[in-house]
């Protein structure tokens, strides 16, 4: 018998779009991928060399369960240099990507039936992590006219004695918007642990992302190397936790994961030390793509009330065309051969939106926009 909670895990719809696109490509159909939230760059050259050196030096054994001490030291330096946040290396648990970091964090915060506040729309997998540990996701609507910022009044209405955390994600998936420092300060006043997913930090174009650690030292920070350093397949993340939680999280790590890959941790050290120039080139390239994509979408009549300035996403309102984002996305894929992600993948309040990813070349984005423009003319003119 399969457990009920395993049966209730919802699919990640963007993967279904990707899988359908792969079927079309096998038939020789050219598909422009604007659905996938994965950097199209290779890892920085220093990262590639570090992995090779780690193997040749025999660095293929277990590390400390909290992570390589040198890597934790470099992460602590990063947070001091970028945010003025004093973090001890002993507060950092290195993980195999940021997903285990989410699990470790929820594992020390939630008993059965406890609640975690999430934005709606928000990253699709958060709620499934929460449900899997028998806690309850509580969705709070956020709105495009606010730049998808939390409204404290909406959170207040949903708080209970079972609320054990408030999840934030800035820059945000799926919207690409940044949470303001003022909103972070308001959330901190609830005196409830804040879980801050900062995986897209560094990918910001007209502003800067604030870390929750600028506001409080009682928060949990989730981050990693997948997005900024284009290291998705290497699976390297971390969580920064308040000191009193670290030992319990370490025990979970020891039992569930032992440690992150030793060779990849060496690559993470080198990324933090030496990859800045290549990362900046990536960021500038993303920025040009962002400007082009927003310009083309506006020319086609899409309204973008608050332009996104982070990550590599644009979340676009299509309610003037359809209130069924799932059907719309697959119709665009079938007829225009452009992959996009339906907003319903990110929560009920994401219905009527489509997420575009600009983690693709400017040439492919142009091709995709040309195809979308023709699709709209053929079907909605």
């Amino acid at each position: 018998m399969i457990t009920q909670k395993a049966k209730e895990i919802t699919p990640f719809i963007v993967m279904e779009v990707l899988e359908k696109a792969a079927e079309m490509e096998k038939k020789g159909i050219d598909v422009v991928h604007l659905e996938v939230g994965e950097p199209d760059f290779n890892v920085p050259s220093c990262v590639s060399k570090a992995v090779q050196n780690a193997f040749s030096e025999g660095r293929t054994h277990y590390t400390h369960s909290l992570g390589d001490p040198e890597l934790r030291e470099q992460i602590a330096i990063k947070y001091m240099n970028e945010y003025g946040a004093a973090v001890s290396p002993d507060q950092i648990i290195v993980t195999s990507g940021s997903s285990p970091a989410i699990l470790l964090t929820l594992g020390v915060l939630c008993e059965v039936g406890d609640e975690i506040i999430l934005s709606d729309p928000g990253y699709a997998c958060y709620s499934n992590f929460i449900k899997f540990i028998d806690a309850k996701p509580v969705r709070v609507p956020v709105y495009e006219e606010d730049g998808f910022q939390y409204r404290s009044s909406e959170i207040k209405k949903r708080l209970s004695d079972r609320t054990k955390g408030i999840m934030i994600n800035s820059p945000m998936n799926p919207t690409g918007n940044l949470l303001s420092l003022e909103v972070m300060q308001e959330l901190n006043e609830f005196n409830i642990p804040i879980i801050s997913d900062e995986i897209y930090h560094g990918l910001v174009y007209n502003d800067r992302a604030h870390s929750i650690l600028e506001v409080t030292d009682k928060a949990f920070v989730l981050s990693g190397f997948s997005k900024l350093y284009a290291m998705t397949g290497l699976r390297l993340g971390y969580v920064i936790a308040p000191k009193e939680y670290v030992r319990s999280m370490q025990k979970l790590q020891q039992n569930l994961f032992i440690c992150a890959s030793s060779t990849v941790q060496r690559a993470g050290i080198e990324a933090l030390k030496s990859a800045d120039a290549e990362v900046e080139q990536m960021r500038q390239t993303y920025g040009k793509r962002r400007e082009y994509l927003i310009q083309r979408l506006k020319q086609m009549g899409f309204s973008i009330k608050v332009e996104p300035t982070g990550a590599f996403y644009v979340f676009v309102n299509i309610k003037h065309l359809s209130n069924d984002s799932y059907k719309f996305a697959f119709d665009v894929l079938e007829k225009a051969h452009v992959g996009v992600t339906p907003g319903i993948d990110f929560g009920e309040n994401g219905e009527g939106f489509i997420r575009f990813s600009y983690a693709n070349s400017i040439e492919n984005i142009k091709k995709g926009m040309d195809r979308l423009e023709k699709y709209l003319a053929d079907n909605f003119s």
Side-chain angles (χ1 to χ4, degrees), residues 11 87 98 208 271 293 311 358 366 369:
V87 173
S98 60
R208 84 169 184 91
L293 178 59
Y358 48 90
K366 181 181 186 304
M369 290 300 99

Side-chain angles (χ1 to χ4, degrees), residues 1-299:
M1 295 289 291
I2 299 173
T3 62
Q4 189 63 31
K5 64 183 176 183
K7 290 180 181 178
E8 290 177 354
I9 293 292
T10 55
F12 201 2
I13 298 175
V14 65
M15 299 309 297
E16 298 192 345
V17 175
L18 185 62
E19 288 158 11
K20 177 64 177 177
E23 292 176 9
M24 295 169 63
E25 287 171 323
K26 285 182 179 179
K27 298 176 183 177
I29 299 171
D30 176 61
V31 176
V32 176
H33 292 279
L34 303 181
E35 77 279 50
V36 181
E38 178 179 29
D40 58 313
F41 298 100
N42 291 325
V43 298
S45 56
C46 64
V47 169
S48 179
K49 291 176 183 175
V51 171
Q52 295 174 42
N53 290 340
F55 273 108
S56 64
E57 294 167 4
R59 293 180 179 269
T60 55
H61 304 280
Y62 293 138
T63 69
H64 193 289
S65 57
L66 291 178
D68 187 309
E70 187 178 356
L71 175 56
R72 288 185 282 131
E73 179 68 34
Q74 289 298 319
I75 293 169
I77 291 171
K78 172 186 173 72
Y79 269 78
M80 174 54 74
N81 290 343
E82 295 189 9
Y83 310 108
V87 173
S88 166
D90 293 334
Q91 291 177 252
I92 300 168
I93 303 105
V94 179
T95 55
S96 299
S98 60
S99 293
I102 298 172
L103 187 60
L104 295 180
T105 301
L106 295 175
V108 296
L109 288 177
C110 295
E111 302 284 2
V112 173
D114 283 341
E115 300 173 351
I116 299 289
I117 297 287
L118 301 175
S119 68
D120 184 3
Y123 178 53
C125 297
Y126 291 150
S127 60
N128 282 329
F129 273 102
I130 295 165
K131 291 175 184 176
F132 193 72
I133 64 165
D134 294 318
K136 179 183 176 183
V138 176
R139 307 300 292 263
V140 175
V142 293
Y143 304 96
E144 61 176 327
E145 59 265 29
D146 299 333
F148 299 100
Q149 306 273 327
Y150 273 123
R151 295 177 182 175
S152 295
S153 58
E154 292 289 340
I155 291 180
K156 191 172 184 179
K157 288 188 289 187
R158 292 164 174 83
L159 294 178
S160 76
D161 58 1
R162 302 304 300 267
T163 306
K164 294 301 173 65
I166 300 172
M167 180 76 77
I168 65 175
N169 177 208
S170 174
M172 185 185 181
N173 179 10
T175 69
N177 293 92
L178 275 65
L179 204 63
S180 72
L181 188 62
E182 291 73 22
V183 169
M184 290 183 181
Q185 291 166 336
E186 289 176 11
L187 297 181
N188 188 50
E189 292 175 4
F190 287 121
N191 199 29
I192 293 168
I194 296 174
I195 307 165
S196 180
D197 186 344
E198 302 182 358
I199 191 68
Y200 291 99
H201 273 223
L203 297 177
V204 180
Y205 311 102
N206 292 344
D207 200 350
R208 84 169 184 91
H210 290 282
S211 172
I212 192 61
L213 296 181
E214 296 175 53
V215 176
T216 176
D217 60 0
K218 299 300 182 184
F220 294 80
V221 169
L222 313 170
S223 195
F225 294 76
S226 292
K227 309 299 183 179
L228 181 62
Y229 298 98
M231 290 168 59
T232 51
L234 275 66
R235 312 309 304 139
L236 184 63
Y238 56 88
V239 53
I240 303 172
K243 293 178 182 178
E244 61 267 28
Y245 290 94
V246 171
R247 177 55 181 159
S248 294
M249 297 176 77
Q250 180 184 16
K251 290 187 291 182
L252 287 177
Q253 168 96 316
Q254 289 169 344
N255 281 274
L256 296 176
F257 310 111
I258 301 179
C259 67
S261 162
S262 56
T263 54
V264 174
Q265 289 189 65
R266 301 309 299 178
I269 294 166
E270 199 59 34
L272 291 170
K273 285 183 174 181
S274 307
D276 286 357
E278 288 184 65
V279 166
E280 177 59 17
Q281 289 179 350
M282 295 182 204
R283 191 191 68 83
Q284 290 184 15
T285 301
Y286 285 131
K288 293 174 183 177
R289 296 171 180 178
R290 182 190 73 92
E291 292 175 1
Y292 177 79
L293 178 59
I294 290 173
Q295 176 192 14
R296 287 295 304 271
L297 289 169
K298 285 185 173 181
Q299 287 174 354

